[in-house]
Amino acid sequence: MMAEFWWCNLGKRKCHWMPWKKVCLAKALGGLGFRDMVAFNDVLLCKQGWKLLTQPNSLLSSLYCAKYYPEGSFMAAQLGNRPSFVWRSIIGSRPLLESGLRWRVGRGDKINIWADPWVPRPPHFRLVPKPGILPCAMITVQRLLKSDSRQWNEDALNLLFESQDVATILGIPLGSAIHEDMLAWHYSKTGTYTVRSGYHLSMTHFQERQASSSHMATAPFFSFLDSAVEVSAS
């Protein structure tokens, strides 16, 4: 509908000079900077998911918690039986929200160093152990802190992680005051989810998928071309 409105004139149908997906790309990438309404709708739904995550005592959170995740959290909640359209939509947008969340270190007792996203390094925010270290133990970030001060235990870090990972961890500020671990949105300075940063992340994912699909589409052709060159050479 929007493409028809943009390209048509006085009700007369005209040629669409650019695919709508490309129209929605940023101008720096060759597009016109239009909003992709499907992606923008998911971003707005993520805003509701963020409120359910960060405002558990609100009336809306209490209602959804009682119906869909009475003994768990929003991030671990399942679709459930006979879900409402709104709940189904929020759950459908949750992967986008999850892709931008990471833990901010406080006490460190809630964060599993292997399973949880807590390192400020996108896109996964997770670490891999050194060769020979098995990431099977339930080790929290608290174990990586000195017991007598709010500082990182460099000996423990060097034992478990590669040097570049150690440098990244040492760059995480701890602060003098002890506070609880909390989930934050990585793509804003305040750690709070915003529609603008969410849309930017969504379009980044879209461009990565497009690049991946283009590579997969051209790979068979070049493979065939290589084979043809080998046959002709022989």
Side-chain angles (χ1 to χ4, degrees):
M1 184 189 304
M2 294 184 65
E4 291 289 339
F5 175 80
W6 178 251
W7 294 113
C8 294
N9 184 22
L10 299 177
K12 298 180 180 179
R13 183 178 179 86
K14 291 189 175 182
C15 178
H16 294 198
W17 294 103
M18 185 182 294
W20 185 250
K21 291 182 178 180
K22 191 170 182 180
V23 170
C24 294
L25 292 177
K27 294 180 180 179
L29 299 175
L32 296 179
F34 283 28
R35 289 285 187 264
D36 185 317
M37 291 295 102
V38 176
F40 196 70
N41 182 64
D42 285 342
V43 169
L44 293 175
L45 288 168
C46 283
K47 184 72 172 179
Q48 302 306 314
W50 173 258
K51 290 182 178 180
L52 294 177
L53 180 66
T54 59
Q55 301 175 16
N57 296 324
S58 66
L59 177 60
L60 180 64
S61 296
S62 300
L63 290 174
Y64 277 117
C65 179
K67 183 173 183 180
Y68 296 110
Y69 50 102
E71 298 180 356
S73 64
F74 166 68
M75 297 306 296
Q78 301 298 316
L79 192 60
N81 297 322
R82 302 181 63 183
S84 67
F85 175 75
V86 175
W87 176 249
R88 184 187 297 274
S89 301
I90 293 175
I91 289 294
S93 68
R94 188 173 60 183
L96 175 61
L97 179 63
E98 188 174 7
S99 68
L101 289 177
R102 67 174 175 87
W103 284 92
R104 282 191 173 177
V105 180
R107 296 180 182 275
D109 57 340
K110 296 181 180 179
I111 308 172
N112 185 314
I113 66 173
W114 307 121
D116 294 328
W118 63 282
V119 179
R121 188 172 59 196
H124 304 296
F125 309 110
R126 291 176 172 85
L127 295 172
V128 294
K130 268 186 175 181
I133 302 296
L134 297 178
C136 57
M138 174 59 185
I139 304 177
T140 62
V141 173
Q142 190 177 41
R143 301 278 297 274
L144 304 178
L145 303 175
K146 293 182 178 180
S147 57
D148 56 347
S149 64
R150 292 285 294 169
Q151 293 181 348
W152 293 104
N153 187 335
E154 293 191 38
D155 292 335
L157 295 179
N158 289 318
L159 178 65
L160 296 173
F161 307 109
E162 299 288 355
S163 57
Q164 63 270 23
D165 294 333
V166 172
T168 303
I169 296 172
L170 292 176
I172 300 176
L174 294 174
S176 56
I178 300 177
H179 55 85
E180 295 295 328
D181 301 321
M182 60 176 291
L183 279 171
W185 179 251
H186 175 77
Y187 297 97
S188 67
K189 294 181 179 179
T190 61
T192 301
Y193 176 86
T194 63
V195 172
R196 182 176 181 178
S197 61
Y199 183 79
H200 179 74
L201 180 61
S202 176
M203 296 311 294
T204 300
H205 290 173
F206 170 75
Q207 293 161 22
E208 291 172 351
R209 290 194 298 269
Q210 288 291 98
S212 176
S213 61
S214 298
H215 175 73
M216 293 178 64
T218 56
F221 169 75
F222 286 108
S223 178
F224 169 76
L225 186 62
D226 293 338
S227 300
V229 171
E230 291 177 1
V231 171
S232 62
S234 61

